[in-house]
Amino acid sequence: MSFTSLGLSDAILKAISKQGYTEPTPIQQKAIPEVLKGRDVLASAQTGTGKTAGFTLPMLHKLSQHQTVKHRPIRALVLTPTRELAAQVQANIKTYSQFLNIRSTVIFGGVNQNPQIATLRRGVDILVATPGRLIDLENQKALSLSKVDFFVLDEADRMLDMGFLRDIERIMRLLPKNRQNLMFSATFSKEIKKLAHGILNSPVQVEATPENSTVESINQKVYRVAKGLKTGLIIKLILEGGWQQVLVFTRTKHGANKLCKKMVSAGISAAAIHGNKSQGARTKALAGFKSGEVQVMVATDIAARGLDIPLLPHVVNFELPNISEDYVHRIGRTGRAGASGVAISLVCGEERAYLKSIEKLVGLQLPVEIIEGFEPDPNAPSAPPKKKQRNTRSTRNRNGRNSHAGGQNRH
């Protein structure tokens, strides 16, 4: 199948051709025709499957079919969980709308709101936004969602993970009832299906890959190692392997900073990316990593969600995630668009329970290696220590509205 057979306009096909693409990915083949028919769509797609173009291309086609009024009210809203993903979606929209009379912009927290407000006042057809900044600007009457007829909820599973449910519900009340809805998620959990029921009307369900599967082109490997020897092992692997572009995941922001400093001390160019970093620092780190100036990027899960890094060869789980599905999201950063990739996990004694859960989820027994000098601690506990129960108030603050007015900042 080629893009020309999907029924997209010549202006969009010209933009696609300019990017060098000729054949749509499986999720694009399944989603684009349904969107063009006007159907609501619930789509499951792993990272690297081309899902952004799966909704961007038909959205642009439909919007361009209707004459633009002078004021340009917001006619399409794309809601994303993080700043980085919002910026990437907007970049995709600009790329594919370059030969159309369509205006788009992106708004998110962590930066000055005044330029965003000025752009909105000049009128835009498509708005890409994170929930916190969208609600803030709507409260200030800087934007109206009353004319939206195309709504996209991207990375819906991560939205729920980040505690955005109440914000999503609030935003839904600002939208007109008569609209087309698209919802993209890496998984179809019970919570996602419940959310979809409240947003989508008689949706068609499309999947690009089996639920929670890992990409076949990724070579997955586990190194058993003592907890205190992990830093030395990852530095050894990077230096002796001559790895030039490595995305490393840690569980915490403090852990990311600490590991980054150790790598720099070992002569490895590294940068950390997480919610405590300013937007400028995050953008600079990502740009340096993509250009090759930064060899290693150390990231937390939510900060790295949606990062589009073409042909990324190595992903390392410095610490395994305690949510098994996050393993799939993490390693999905490599092995994209048909390229091969390597995903390595450094597993200490107390992470063995996490490893078993991951293997059960992906349906694979991951090969294990032990490197001399970096052996696991035989006396290490086989499970992580139990965390103390948070009190009700702190839990409510963590998930409540005020805790994430710019909720995408937290990780």
Side-chain angles (χ1 to χ4, degrees), residues 251 301 317 319-324 326-327 330 351 354 358:
R251 263 197 227 111
D301 282 299
N317 293 298
E319 295 159 319
L320 284 182
N322 54 0
I323 299 170
S324 301
D326 282 346
Y327 174 83
R330 286 180 177 190
E351 293 175 302
Y354 295 156
I358 288 165

Side-chain angles (χ1 to χ4, degrees), residues 117 121 134-144 174:
I117 292 173
R121 284 181 176 156
L134 180 67
I135 289 173
D136 289 344
L137 295 191
E138 198 279 332
N139 285 339
Q140 297 174 50
K141 307 297 181 191
L143 60 87
S144 169
L174 301 172

Side-chain angles (χ1 to χ4, degrees), residues 166 389-400 403:
R166 288 170 65 188
Q389 188 69 34
R390 283 191 176 97
N391 64 44
T392 307
R393 185 181 175 187
S394 68
T395 303
R396 187 162 57 245
N397 286 345
R398 186 168 60 89
N399 292 326
S403 69

Side-chain angles (χ1 to χ4, degrees), residues 120-336:
L120 289 166
R121 284 181 176 156
R122 289 194 292 270
V124 296
D125 302 291
I126 303 171
L127 176 63
V128 184
T130 51
R133 180 54 61 94
L134 180 67
I135 289 173
D136 289 344
L137 295 191
E138 198 279 332
N139 285 339
Q140 297 174 50
K141 307 297 181 191
L143 60 87
S144 169
L145 302 175
S146 63
K147 301 292 185 184
V148 169
D149 52 27
F150 206 101
F151 174 61
V152 181
L153 186 62
D154 196 12
E155 305 257 358
D157 50 333
R158 183 56 61 176
M159 288 277 197
L160 296 186
D161 290 346
M162 292 176 69
F164 280 131
L165 179 59
R166 288 170 65 188
D167 282 356
I168 293 170
E169 291 170 345
R170 184 172 176 180
I171 291 163
M172 299 307 299
R173 292 194 289 272
L174 301 172
L175 300 173
K177 289 185 178 178
N178 186 20
R179 63 179 191 271
Q180 185 175 0
N181 306 284
L182 311 179
M183 196 166 132
F184 284 75
S185 174
T187 59
F188 280 160
S189 64
K190 289 179 183 176
E191 293 78 12
I192 287 296
K193 287 174 179 173
K194 182 180 177 182
L195 179 63
H197 182 73
I199 295 175
L200 309 175
N201 296 311
S202 304
V204 59
Q205 188 169 308
V206 298
E207 292 185 64
T209 55
E211 210 168 328
N212 294 327
S213 68
T214 51
V215 183
E216 290 180 6
S217 57
I218 301 174
N219 178 16
Q220 300 172 67
K221 186 186 295 187
V222 168
Y223 285 108
R224 291 287 317 284
V225 58
K227 189 174 183 178
L229 300 177
K230 282 189 177 187
T231 301
L233 178 55
I234 192 172
I235 289 172
K236 173 186 170 70
L237 292 170
I238 291 169
L239 291 176
E240 293 186 2
W243 298 352
Q244 291 304 310
Q245 198 177 39
V246 192
L247 178 58
V248 180
F249 285 97
T250 61
R251 263 197 227 111
T252 67
K253 293 173 274 193
H254 172 72
N257 287 337
K258 187 177 176 184
L259 179 59
C260 192
K261 286 179 181 176
K262 291 280 181 68
M263 287 192 173
V264 171
S265 296
I268 298 169
S269 59
I273 181 169
H274 53 68
N276 282 359
K277 298 283 186 180
S278 69
Q279 183 58 32
R282 291 164 77 167
T283 302
K284 183 180 178 183
L286 181 58
F289 187 60
K290 285 185 173 183
S291 69
E293 184 182 339
V294 173
Q295 190 176 350
V296 177
M297 188 158 72
V298 187
T300 54
D301 282 299
I302 291 175
R305 180 71 170 199
L307 292 181
D308 183 19
I309 304 159
L311 305 179
L312 176 62
H314 293 96
V315 169
V316 178
N317 293 298
F318 185 76
E319 295 159 319
L320 284 182
N322 54 0
I323 299 170
S324 301
E325 286 83 357
D326 282 346
Y327 174 83
V328 178
H329 300 320
R330 286 180 177 190
I331 73 166
R333 307 285 158 219
T334 187
R336 301 172 72 140

Side-chain angles (χ1 to χ4, degrees), residues 46-93:
Q46 304 295 339
T47 53
T49 57
K51 68 179 173 63
T52 304
F55 64 78
T56 297
L57 298 175
M59 175 177 71
L60 289 170
H61 176 90
K62 296 195 76 176
L63 292 176
S64 65
Q65 301 303 299
H66 301 283
Q67 190 169 0
T68 305
V69 295
K70 188 176 180 180
H71 171 61
R72 291 185 189 260
I74 298 166
R75 294 187 290 151
L77 172 65
V78 182
L79 204 60
T80 74
T82 66
R83 309 165 182 174
E84 284 77 17
L85 183 58
Q88 285 174 195
V89 170
Q90 164 64 355
N92 266 264
I93 291 170

